[in-house]
Amino acid sequence: MKINDLLPRFTMPVMRGIALTLALAMAARLIAGLPFFSIMGQLVIAIMLGMIWRASVGVNGSLLEGASYSSKKLLRLGIILLGFRLNLYDIYNAGSTVFLIAFANLAFALVVVYGLSRLFKVEKRLGILTACGTAICGAAAVVAIAPVIKANEKETAVGAANVAVLGTIFTILYTLIFSYLDLKALEYGVFAGGTLHEIAHVVAAADPAGQAALDLAIIVKLTRVALLVPVAILIGFLIQRKESGDAGQKMTLSTLPIPWFILGFLAVSAFNTIGVVSEDAASAIVSFAYLLIGMAMAGLGLNVDFKSFRQMGGKALSAGLAGSVLLSVFGYLLVRIFV
């Protein structure tokens, strides 16, 4: 990728489009700090604000070009910087059982949600996005996987919004029933971290069980986040193999649609793990990363209207809902048996 590819045509309308996504992302961050809205998280709020802006105010082509820049280019930078959230030592120190539970939940959700999406006749790319968002890390996984499968902006926005909405519903449900689950605090932390969608959802659901449960829940969740890299490479490999087979071409590493910015995420995680930057600096960088990803979410929201959301999202939401229920049951059984 050339440096020029990262730069938009800096016309005033394009700059206004980028500035609009920044304003919406900052508004989403403020709203997410309010009671109840913190459960939703700033990413889903940013998507919804973008959609509301388009429906009420409207956007023209130049503004959309700026919004697209945020949803594509700035997104990649945000995901790379999000690696400062991940300390690989924490995952290692949590032990093999926690890692295997996180991996089992991820694999189960990928297979089940994608299978249900095909059963519900969801478009293939949207089904993959819904499965990845449910299995790995919500909206961030959706937008990270989208370039690998060549999903368009409407599919990406609908997939991200669906997964974020589902995560919000299950977060509320978890906070209501956690005292009835017959799980110790640490067991509940593994359960919440292994089955909920966004990091914000995990934090909101695990907090009532205490600091120990919250800490372990975040570690389990970040283990799933770390698995985003091999999952993206695997999906890229499978798609490339199918396309190469259909076209009668030889598959090579150079043609493999690997999302290289995700490898950047892993590299930054390793950089953070060795402690080159302080915890305060890493926290500030992660906050900035979420702002960039929030701009990307707002850009996605500006590119989709509610009519498209209703047309494309209903079946995917149903598949994701059924899959999330099964994931919760599966994750609960894993905790009861192995933790």
Side-chain angles (χ1 to χ4, degrees):
M1 179 182 293
K2 299 178 181 179
I3 188 65
N4 289 339
D5 294 335
L6 296 174
L7 301 176
R9 293 178 298 144
F10 283 112
T11 63
M12 188 56 66
V14 170
M15 292 298 294
R16 284 201 296 266
I18 297 172
L20 176 58
T21 63
L22 174 61
L24 293 175
M26 294 179 69
R29 174 172 290 187
L30 291 173
I31 294 172
L34 300 175
F36 175 75
F37 289 102
S38 60
I39 296 176
M40 298 178 67
Q42 59 182 298
L43 301 186
V44 65
I45 295 173
I47 293 175
M48 300 309 296
L49 288 179
M51 294 174 65
I52 292 170
W53 184 280
R54 175 170 179 147
S56 59
V57 179
V59 288
N60 58 34
S62 296
L63 281 175
L64 286 179
E65 186 177 344
S68 295
Y69 177 80
S70 292
S71 65
K72 294 177 181 178
K73 309 299 184 183
L74 295 184
L75 166 70
R76 297 175 184 181
L77 177 58
I79 289 178
I80 290 172
L81 295 179
L82 195 61
F84 278 101
R85 178 93 193 231
L86 185 62
N87 188 312
L88 300 176
Y89 280 141
D90 289 340
I91 296 174
Y92 175 79
N93 292 332
S96 58
T97 299
V98 167
F99 175 83
L100 291 174
I101 287 176
F103 177 81
N105 282 327
L106 185 149
F108 178 87
L110 280 177
V111 173
V112 170
V113 175
Y114 180 69
L116 287 170
S117 71
R118 303 307 293 158
L119 180 65
F120 289 14
K121 301 187 184 303
V122 178
E123 196 279 327
K124 184 176 181 179
R125 289 189 297 269
L126 182 55
I128 294 174
L129 294 179
T130 303
C132 289
T134 303
I136 307 172
C137 54
V142 170
V143 295
I145 296 294
V148 180
I149 63 174
K150 301 177 182 177
N152 61 41
E153 290 181 332
K154 288 185 178 180
E155 291 166 336
T156 306
V158 170
N162 274 346
V163 171
V165 168
L166 286 171
T168 300
I169 293 172
F170 277 78
T171 299
I172 296 171
L173 179 64
Y174 279 25
T175 57
L176 293 175
I177 69 171
F178 86 91
S179 60
Y180 302 99
L181 292 176
D182 192 27
L183 295 176
K184 298 177 182 178
L186 293 181
E187 293 173 339
Y188 177 72
V190 175
F191 170 65
T195 57
L196 284 173
H197 304 62
E198 302 268 5
I199 292 176
H201 297 149
V202 172
V203 172
D207 185 65
Q211 189 62 44
L214 176 59
D215 290 344
L216 187 54
I218 292 174
I219 291 173
V220 176
K221 180 60 183 176
L222 291 178
T223 302
R224 293 165 64 195
V225 174
L227 292 171
L228 172 63
V229 177
V231 169
I233 293 174
L234 176 61
I235 291 174
F237 172 80
L238 294 175
I239 290 176
Q240 180 64 24
R241 186 176 69 172
K242 183 179 185 304
E243 291 179 349
S244 298
D246 292 343
Q249 298 174 347
K250 184 179 179 180
M251 183 176 60
T252 65
L253 181 61
S254 62
T255 59
L256 187 63
I258 297 174
W260 297 106
F261 63 94
I262 296 182
L263 297 183
F265 161 84
L266 186 61
V268 168
S269 300
F271 185 74
N272 181 56
T273 299
I274 62 177
V276 174
V277 299
S278 67
E279 290 186 8
D280 289 342
S283 178
I285 294 172
V286 168
S287 179
F288 178 64
Y290 270 109
L291 179 62
L292 292 176
I293 298 174
M295 292 174 66
M297 296 296 104
L300 288 172
L302 290 169
N303 276 280
V304 64
D305 54 30
F306 284 102
K307 182 179 180 181
S308 298
F309 185 85
R310 290 195 302 269
Q311 291 174 342
M312 298 175 60
K315 293 180 180 179
L317 185 65
S318 298
L321 176 61
S324 296
V325 170
L326 294 175
L327 174 61
S328 294
V329 173
F330 180 74
Y332 179 78
L333 292 176
L334 286 181
V335 170
R336 293 306 304 266
I337 294 171
F338 295 108
V339 178

